[in-house]
Amino acid sequence: MHSPILKVQNLHTWFETPTGTARAVDGVNFELYQGETLAIVGESGSGKSITALSLMQLVPEPAGYIEKGSIFYKNRDLLDLTWEEMRALRGKDIAMIFQEPMTSLNPVLTVEKQIVEAMQVHGTATGAEARKRAVDMLNKVGIRSPQQVVRQFPHELSGGMRQRVMIAIALSNNPQILLADEPTTALDVTVQAQILDLLASLQKELGMSMLLITHDLGIVARVAQRCCVMYAGQIVEEAPTSELLKNPQHPYTRGLLASLPSRARRGQELYTLEGVVPPPTRWPKGCRFALRCPNRMDICKNVLPGETALSPQRRVSCHLYNSDSAEAAVPLENPS
Amino acid sequence: MNQQNIPLLSVRSITKRFPVRTGLLGKRIWKTAVNEVSFSIEQGSTLAVVGESGSGKSTLALMALDLLAPTAGDILYQNRPFSDRSREERRRLRRDMQVVFQDPYASLNGRMNVREALTEGMIIHRLADSPAEREERALQLLRQVSMPPESLDRYPHEFSGGQRQRIAIARALSVNPSFVVLDEPTSALDVSVQSQVLNLLRRLQKENNLTYLFISHNLEVVSYLADNVAVMENGSIVEMGSVDDIFDRPQKEYTKKLLQAIPAIDLLRGHNEEA
């Protein structure tokens, strides 16, 4: 496989809180390849959004900080860049869209001003050229009357339209990488489907790479080629999406998939993962999923499992797959 | 499914219009939120109302709970219209009809501990005479929703989202309702917590023969929990039928569009389960 456009190694992003150090992101590794969509899926508190913010170096300071790790982009470690150098990259090479477009758009500026501003800041285009490009961008994101929409303010637009405007702003500088943090969570299902299809087609057209942060396995199935499952600040499983959904390996991933409601499961009790995610200030010493794990072994309580490569494209962090500790492993039953 | 054919709730051609002003000096115009909607729900069954934001599903729920009067049409509860009942009778019906909202952070009073939240309704509706009796009943409710008895002295902010939603459900059940409106009850919850709440709702329905009006935009959840589905668009029910009818034989374009928007995971998972 060709070399990754983004390589995240051993990333730790911590927060100082009154109750102690919250290790929100605690040793994350992944690679993003040219032109692919990689999803990071996890529940609230898993650290997926903080991972995305860390890539942009937008972690809320001073409480939050990147403790250690590296983020390689074009053979440079972004964590070695100065604030000014990072500023030049942010929004140009790497752009980001968020869940709620109403809070990320400026309510007192027209759509045109906001798209033009993004280009001016990075010198991509200015003046009349930038204004023309703003209309082109709106066209590209599927807005039917761009000439009219450029003159409007965010509150005059529907949620779906606002998210399209956000995407237009993010893509106005032709970024290499788009970070999309729950881009459709606030939208209605049919609009959600439209926006996801739009992102997928734009990605193909522009050849950019997308890192999609979501809690929704359905969205992962729809747009991502590969998927990382995050739990308690770490990636516990990585696999091509179809393999992950057909044949999940980590007990957490298995549990998540088994707990999804569907018509096929009518009248049946859904599988439940008992317990809750431990607080990030007090991760357990061993496997962080151990307390909720149906396959728990003695070793899990005390030893944090390392990554085991199951194939060139798959890895899992679980003692069940670790040859040193697997003698106690029982064959996994699919829960449900 | 259900052998009883007695509708608990029967909605007959109800319409709700709201006045809205256009501009500062604009004329008053009427916006139709719900337009000639009819349906009935059999005792012990679940009707899901699906539709997108602004389709009128929450307005419909408020009218079904007698919290909002329809502009036109009748709502029959246990075969008698709300409009034929005395004020006192309608007040007593409030006990029989409860609601669980999407966001348990907003729907529970942050200054009431769980004991107060669970016993307030019993006091108002005079369901338990002595504090000891109320305490006993509150503990029983906590058991029903799988929460530890120590929860009684704690406040909503001390619980996770899923636990709070269980408390909200316990509170709804504290007055022995027959009819419960579930307004997006799992939308704010994580997947692993959602399954706990869905299992709970299903179990409680069986145990107490509850009738659910289930408002949702999540078709996967609907297909799991509901018996019948009404699809709403712009204030009207465009299609209604059993879960199988709606999912296997959708007639209307809008229903088909909604179904197509369900993420593709179902196919993959179906495959997994056959294996």
Side-chain angles (χ1 to χ4, degrees):
Chain A
M1 205 184 232
H2 44 282
S3 66
I5 185 163
L6 190 77
K7 186 169 178 159
V8 176
Q9 282 181 324
N10 203 27
L11 181 68
H12 291 70
T13 306
W14 293 357
F15 288 79
E16 292 307 328
T17 74
T19 51
T21 304
R23 282 140 57 198
V25 175
D26 207 29
V28 159
N29 303 290
F30 67 87
E31 293 172 350
L32 178 68
Y33 292 89
Q34 178 83 46
E36 76 163 345
T37 296
L38 171 68
I40 295 187
V41 64
E43 299 187 275
S44 23
S46 61
K48 57 190 190 304
S49 290
I50 299 299
T51 300
L53 285 178
S54 302
L55 302 183
M56 291 294 257
Q57 293 181 42
L58 288 174
V59 178
E61 289 174 336
Y65 55 93
I66 297 177
E67 165 66 20
K68 58 182 167 190
S70 38
I71 302 167
F72 287 104
Y73 169 70
K74 289 190 172 165
N75 299 319
R76 281 195 297 177
D77 187 347
L78 297 185
L79 298 179
D80 290 340
L81 299 186
T82 63
W83 180 253
E84 286 308 314
E85 286 171 322
M86 190 58 212
R87 219 183 112 121
L89 253 155
R90 202 185 284 134
K92 187 166 196 304
D93 290 62
I94 309 177
M96 187 159 181
I97 55 176
F98 300 89
Q99 172 171 348
E100 182 33 79
M102 196 61 204
T103 52
S104 17
L105 291 172
N106 188 330
V108 296
L109 294 181
T110 60
V111 166
E112 179 178 65
K113 282 231 173 70
Q114 300 190 52
I115 306 179
V116 167
E117 185 186 34
M119 290 185 277
Q120 271 172 348
V121 166
H122 292 291
T124 309
T126 50
E129 191 202 336
R131 287 198 296 278
K132 186 184 167 294
R133 206 173 134 74
V135 174
D136 292 346
M137 286 313 299
L138 291 181
N139 229 333
K140 204 168 244 175
V141 296
I143 287 178
R144 269 182 229 119
S145 46
Q147 302 284 359
Q148 186 195 335
V149 171
V150 283
R151 288 192 300 272
Q152 287 183 303
F153 291 91
H155 74 267
E156 299 177 274
L157 306 171
S158 68
M161 290 278 271
R162 275 183 220 138
Q163 198 55 289
R164 286 175 196 266
V165 169
M166 274 268 286
I167 295 169
I169 294 171
L171 301 188
S172 63
N173 291 310
N174 275 327
Q176 298 286 306
I177 299 171
L178 180 67
L179 307 180
D181 187 1
E182 303 271 8
T184 60
T185 304
L187 305 173
D188 274 325
V189 273
T190 55
V191 183
Q192 175 172 318
Q194 290 164 12
I195 296 288
L196 291 173
D197 292 348
L198 171 72
L199 282 172
S201 75
L202 286 172
Q203 180 199 27
K204 217 176 246 171
E205 190 187 327
L206 305 172
M208 64 180 179
S209 310
M210 182 152 76
L211 183 68
L212 177 76
I213 310 289
T214 182
H215 70 282
D216 188 336
L217 285 158
I219 290 178
V220 174
R222 196 172 182 114
V223 290
Q225 288 95 48
R226 292 194 307 128
C227 177
C228 294
V229 180
M230 254 187 112
Y231 184 83
Q234 300 179 328
I235 290 173
V236 295
E237 180 163 7
E238 178 188 306
T241 306
S242 55
E243 288 182 35
L244 184 98
L245 297 174
K246 269 186 222 145
N247 193 12
Q249 297 294 318
H250 196 283
Y252 174 63
T253 320
R254 289 168 168 266
L256 269 189
L257 283 162
S259 62
L260 290 174
S262 70
R263 204 168 140 213
R265 292 182 173 147
R266 280 171 70 80
Q268 298 169 26
E269 189 91 344
L270 293 172
Y271 181 79
T272 56
L273 287 161
E274 291 308 328
V276 290
V277 187
T281 47
R282 275 174 288 147
W283 296 136
K285 185 167 114 210
C287 173
R288 292 171 184 184
F289 185 62
L291 284 173
R292 307 173 74 185
C293 184
N295 307 99
R296 183 173 59 236
M297 303 177 288
D298 282 342
I299 187 173
C300 305
K301 268 173 268 170
N302 297 310
V303 183
L304 189 66
E307 283 175 13
T308 307
L310 301 173
S311 74
Q313 292 220 63
R314 293 201 73 161
R315 62 182 162 119
V316 61
S317 298
C318 176
H319 288 301
L320 290 172
Y321 304 93
N322 185 338
S323 49
D324 299 335
S325 50
E327 76 276 358
V330 269
L332 274 179
E333 291 289 322
N334 207 350
S336 79
Chain B
M1 261 190 302
N2 209 306
Q3 291 91 17
Q4 300 157 282
N5 282 318
I6 324 140
L8 180 74
L9 183 84
S10 220
V11 166
R12 294 191 183 161
S13 196
I14 55 167
T15 294
K16 181 69 192 178
R17 293 195 189 88
F18 291 107
V20 281
R21 275 182 198 283
T22 53
L24 195 59
L25 296 167
K27 266 194 218 141
R28 198 156 75 152
I29 56 161
W30 292 88
K31 186 169 164 33
T32 306
V34 172
N35 191 17
E36 296 194 11
V37 161
S38 302
F39 61 81
S40 53
I41 314 179
E42 281 172 28
Q43 187 132 26
S45 76
T46 300
L47 173 71
V49 178
V50 301
E52 309 211 317
S53 25
S55 61
K57 44 191 205 301
S58 290
T59 305
L60 186 65
L62 289 179
M63 290 192 286
L65 288 163
D66 194 23
L67 292 173
L68 188 70
T71 313
D74 266 327
I75 300 170
L76 281 69
Y77 189 77
Q78 291 166 338
N79 281 322
R80 280 188 57 206
F82 288 140
S83 53
D84 277 6
R85 294 171 186 258
S86 70
R87 262 180 74 159
E88 176 52 27
E89 219 181 331
R90 283 164 86 162
R91 199 188 66 82
R92 269 186 273 124
L93 269 188
R94 302 240 178 276
R95 183 200 58 75
D96 212 37
M97 304 187 292
Q98 291 292 314
V99 56
V100 175
F101 293 102
Q102 170 173 358
D103 184 0
Y105 295 71
S107 63
L108 289 171
N109 185 336
R111 293 179 176 210
M112 277 189 179
N113 66 25
V114 172
R115 175 183 290 104
E116 291 168 312
L118 294 184
T119 53
E120 189 188 32
M122 301 178 204
I123 297 170
I124 290 171
H125 293 288
R126 299 197 185 91
L127 293 178
D129 296 328
S130 66
E133 211 176 306
R134 288 197 288 273
E135 182 89 1
E136 183 45 47
R137 174 93 183 105
L139 285 168
Q140 188 195 338
L141 286 163
L142 286 180
R143 269 198 304 278
Q144 278 191 304
V145 298
S146 311
M147 295 280 291
E150 307 86 80
S151 314
L152 277 186
D153 291 306
R154 294 166 64 192
Y155 288 83
H157 72 265
E158 299 177 67
F159 296 98
S160 69
Q163 291 173 320
R164 258 182 261 207
Q165 195 61 297
R166 286 193 241 173
I167 295 166
I169 292 168
R171 181 181 155 89
L173 296 183
S174 68
V175 291
N176 299 324
S178 325
F179 176 54
V180 182
V181 171
L182 305 166
D183 192 350
E184 304 267 13
T186 63
S187 303
L189 305 177
D190 271 324
V191 177
S192 70
V193 181
Q194 170 175 277
S195 65
Q196 297 171 7
V197 171
L198 290 175
N199 283 341
L200 175 66
L201 289 171
R202 217 172 58 85
R203 204 186 71 222
L204 293 171
Q205 176 169 43
K206 254 197 233 154
E207 286 171 6
N208 304 300
N209 197 28
L210 295 172
T211 306
Y212 288 154
L213 177 63
F214 182 51
I215 312 279
S216 182
H217 69 274
N218 184 330
L219 291 166
E220 302 238 89
V221 175
V222 164
S223 72
Y224 171 74
L225 197 71
D227 299 305
N228 297 298
V229 185
V231 181
M232 272 192 98
E233 186 188 17
N234 295 329
S236 303
I237 290 181
V238 294
E239 189 163 2
M240 188 157 48
S242 69
V243 165
D244 288 343
D245 282 343
I246 295 291
F247 282 74
D248 289 336
R249 297 169 287 278
Q251 302 298 313
K252 295 283 160 35
E253 270 318 298
Y254 183 70
T255 312
K256 289 178 192 164
K257 208 170 95 183
L258 276 181
L259 290 171
Q260 276 161 10
I262 302 185
I265 191 171
D266 204 38
L267 299 170
L268 290 162
R269 204 178 47 236
H271 181 82
N272 184 25
E273 277 170 356
E274 282 159 29

